[in-house]
Amino acid sequence: MKRVNRALRYINALAALVLVAVLIAVYWFLGRPMPQVTGTLQAGVSAPVTVERDSMGVAHVRAANIEDALFTQGYVTAQDRLWQMDAIRRLASGELAEVIGAAAVESDKESRRLRLKRAAEDHINTMPEADRKWIAAYTRGVNEYIEAHRKNLPVEFRLMGYQPKPWSMADSVVVALQMHRILTTSWKEEVQKAILLESGDRQKVEMLFPIRSGREEVPGSNAWAVSGKHTVSGKPILANDPHLEFAFPSTWYQIHLQGGELDVAGVTLPGVPAIIVGHNQRIAWGVTNLGFDVQDLYVEKINPVTGQYLFEGKIEQARREVEQILVKDSSPEVLQIWVTRHGGASINDRGRVLALKWTATQSGDFQFPFVDLNRAQNWTEFRDALRRFAGPGQNFVYADVDGNIGYQATGFLPIRRNFDGDVPLDGASGQFEWQGYIPFDELPSAFNPVSGMIITGNQNPWPVDTTTRVSGEFAPPYRFRQIKARLEAKEQWKPEDMLSVQTDIYSEFLKLIADHVVKANPPSGPAVNILKEWNGLVEEKQSAPLMTTLTFQHLRRAVAEKASPKNGAIYNYQMSPTVIENLLRTRPADWFADWNAVIRQAFADALEEGQRMQGQDVTKWRWGKYLELNLGHPVLSRLPWAGKYFRIPATPMSGSSTTVKQTTNRIGPSMRFIADLSEWDQSLNNLTVGQSDHIFSGHFKDQWPAYISGTSLSMQYSNVKAEKTLRIEPLH
């Protein structure tokens, strides 16, 4: 018995030693990279800096001057998001295959063809010196962190087996250009439209690609501001919830910067200095995408061997660029690009060589006005900063403590004299060249409208009688109209009340589809009865949103097939709901002789498709099963056994592409910002998952519950309740 007890003690002791060894290993591998958020460290600042972190892990930087504030921003952002920063710059630069392998080669080729990295390097060399100074300060901060932590980098670098390269000023620009890329991809729609036109009815195909719905109200994008006459406080409230692809870590990084003339809080892109959306002591602003077309494709008559091409009857020589793509565990891939006067001639469209002209890559155009924007104290200074904003074209919504509200469209937007640029153009003729950019003072703008409201929803913001030639992919008016209806239905708004508008899930468009289906079908059967009783709310537990969405998709395909036979499946245009609505309301006979029959067939096809997905009983269908969000860290969620801890459990979602809470399987609100101009500390801001990318951090995904429930979080500013404080001393 004593021998048994002794053996058990040995076994227990050994198990304890193994557990301790495992815990030490876990700490060494995962815990050591956690950022230092207390105590003191030395870094390249000119005077002492304090970094206070609040209960959500948001850093409040207090520096003696702007350069030290931006240096520290670079440092603390790298503390929390270094791997994300590195992943974005690699994606945009076409350098993912170097660390991932052959699976990323095609992605890298597309990035190299777009020439983002080369454009970023060119922009750094041509931008104003003052802008370079701010980016340089941020870059020094990032590199200070990288070099001091080579031996305890975030776990993603260890799992993937590589070290990050030093950060460069061009890396910050390429991160900004990646957002430009996300928001301006009209060249793909140009190819789509050209295919439809080749074998289609031109008049009908043109109707499928409108630039306005006919029911817009200016200005436009997905943010709004109300003046004090509509609020409890008597001061404006500004709300902004830009819709982007879901990401883990969050797309945005929240921070508060004080230094010299800066005292600004809000969100920025990891890798980019200053604040992109937020407020300072006197003004607040929000942004969302404008949608103006800033890309044109040119069909080049080019010799792929020599690079000689034709322009206005003369031979010109393209510049040759050779891109070497490093591939992990494989040989490098080599990509040759000829750059013509229009851009990189590297897009192959059914045997044609297309060059892409894009404002993002135009030499000498890129500037960085955000430090000026962050320091602006009034409407005039705000607009003066935006004059230098090259793009992507954005809608900026404004409010200030004096009670003013405003709207300004921005970006370097091409002037097209005699063409729209909505299909690939003849690059040799010389007849389709840009004539500079639309002057800033001719862009849509509004200041203190009589209504006391500026409401935006990505719609075309130019008035119908504009003399400006407008091209672009704008949104249908449904979100705008619902925001307007909600704001007009109530007076005396409070900041927290705006959350109910940001999370509104009524779809005017899907309700319209339901009404037309009910009218076209006999009043019998569970499916028709469900639609007849439906209130238009796109709730996760409802079946009606799935029925109407699938019906719309089949209607869209049928309409596109009529316009361009055998090409209906490729038609997927942002304004297509408006196209379908207009056709359903007018029911032109030259499209279909019996519209009710078309609607019934689309509904029948929708029911058949839905039954394949969710079973025969339509009463048991659930929208949230169709619209289910699976969000996980791109590296850590793939780990065996432990991966489930680094993703959000599959979440049924409410909302649709035509609700104010614009949600699809791919995109959704990327953050929710509400600024209270009467008391900054009553403002709200909510990221999707959390501030930190470190898995041992309490801020890895602590914002998700507030995000998914639509309750949001306080945004500390004047009264910061610091939970942890780090002091940064100058190097001696």
Side-chain angles (χ1 to χ4, degrees), residues 199-426:
S199 59
D201 180 318
R202 173 169 287 277
Q203 183 178 8
K204 286 184 171 64
V205 171
E206 292 290 350
M207 286 182 65
L208 299 181
F209 293 88
I211 62 167
R212 64 173 70 251
S213 70
R215 292 176 297 281
E216 286 85 6
E217 294 189 42
V218 296
S221 195
N222 197 36
W224 60 89
V226 295
S227 70
K229 72 179 184 179
H230 299 293
T231 68
V232 171
S233 68
K235 293 287 187 180
I237 297 174
L238 180 145
N240 183 206
D241 59 328
H243 299 99
L244 297 167
E245 288 193 37
F246 286 108
F248 197 149
S250 298
T251 299
W252 301 100
Y253 182 74
Q254 192 172 346
I255 197 165
H256 177 191
L257 302 172
Q258 283 185 332
E261 297 172 298
L262 278 187
D263 189 358
V264 59
V267 298
T268 190
L269 297 172
V272 176
I275 298 295
I276 294 177
V277 175
H279 71 82
N280 59 28
Q281 314 97 309
R282 292 192 52 79
I283 74 169
W285 66 95
V287 301
T288 44
N289 197 32
L290 175 61
F292 195 96
D293 184 5
V294 294
Q295 295 180 326
D296 278 335
L297 286 173
Y298 292 83
V299 182
E300 302 286 30
K301 295 179 180 177
I302 187 169
N303 185 321
V305 177
T306 65
Q308 292 184 325
Y309 68 101
L310 190 65
F311 182 74
E312 292 185 332
K314 299 178 182 178
I315 298 295
E316 295 192 357
Q317 179 62 51
R319 184 176 73 255
R320 182 172 179 261
E321 293 178 350
V322 177
E323 299 286 341
Q324 185 181 60
I325 301 173
L326 301 180
V327 184
K328 183 179 181 180
D329 300 327
S330 188
S331 301
E333 297 251 357
V334 177
L335 183 68
Q336 175 180 281
I337 299 172
W338 291 110
V339 182
T340 71
R341 62 170 47 237
H342 299 122
S346 57
I347 298 172
N348 190 311
D349 175 46
R350 295 164 296 159
R352 300 184 301 176
V353 177
L354 307 181
L356 177 65
K357 188 168 186 176
W358 182 20
T359 56
T361 57
Q362 295 300 292
S363 180
D365 284 349
F366 188 90
Q367 298 184 51
F368 188 75
F370 280 99
V371 173
D372 290 344
L373 181 68
N374 292 180
R375 294 184 290 186
Q377 299 292 293
N378 53 50
W379 175 243
T380 300
E381 293 178 6
F382 177 76
R383 293 185 75 237
D384 284 345
L386 293 179
R387 290 177 188 275
R388 301 200 299 119
F389 180 71
Q394 295 289 287
N395 299 280
F396 278 76
V397 177
Y398 166 96
D400 65 35
V401 295
D402 293 328
N404 302 300
I405 60 174
Y407 162 83
Q408 181 64 55
T410 64
F412 291 2
L413 311 179
I415 296 174
R416 300 175 175 92
R417 293 294 187 198
N418 60 339
F419 65 99
D420 292 322
D422 52 348
V423 293
L425 306 164
D426 180 3

Side-chain angles (χ1 to χ4, degrees), residues 443-516:
L443 298 179
S445 185
F447 188 62
N448 288 335
V450 174
S451 66
M453 296 182 183
I454 288 175
I455 308 168
T456 65
N458 291 116
Q459 74 274 19
N460 186 338
W462 275 266
V464 175
D465 60 354
T466 182
T467 58
T468 301
R469 194 177 194 106
V470 178
S471 300
E473 187 177 1
F474 304 99
Y478 309 113
R479 284 182 288 126
F480 161 79
R481 290 210 293 258
Q482 181 63 5
I483 294 167
K484 184 182 181 201
R486 288 292 309 275
L487 293 179
E488 289 180 342
K490 173 182 175 177
E491 290 290 345
Q492 304 301 298
W493 286 89
K494 298 178 182 178
E496 60 270 23
D497 297 339
M498 291 298 180
L499 288 167
S500 68
V501 184
Q502 290 181 330
T503 57
D504 188 284
I505 55 172
Y506 176 76
S507 174
E508 175 190 345
F509 174 68
L510 292 181
K511 184 66 169 66
L512 173 97
I513 294 291
D515 292 344
H516 279 272

Side-chain angles (χ1 to χ4, degrees), residues 52 127 189 191 207 255 265 280 284 302 380 404 411 428 482 484 566 627 636-637 675 688:
E52 299 175 338
M127 72 170 54
E189 280 69 41
V191 171
M207 286 182 65
I255 197 165
N280 59 28
I302 187 169
T380 300
N404 302 300
Q482 181 63 5
K484 184 182 181 201
K566 298 182 180 181
L627 186 62
L636 302 178
S637 66
T688 48

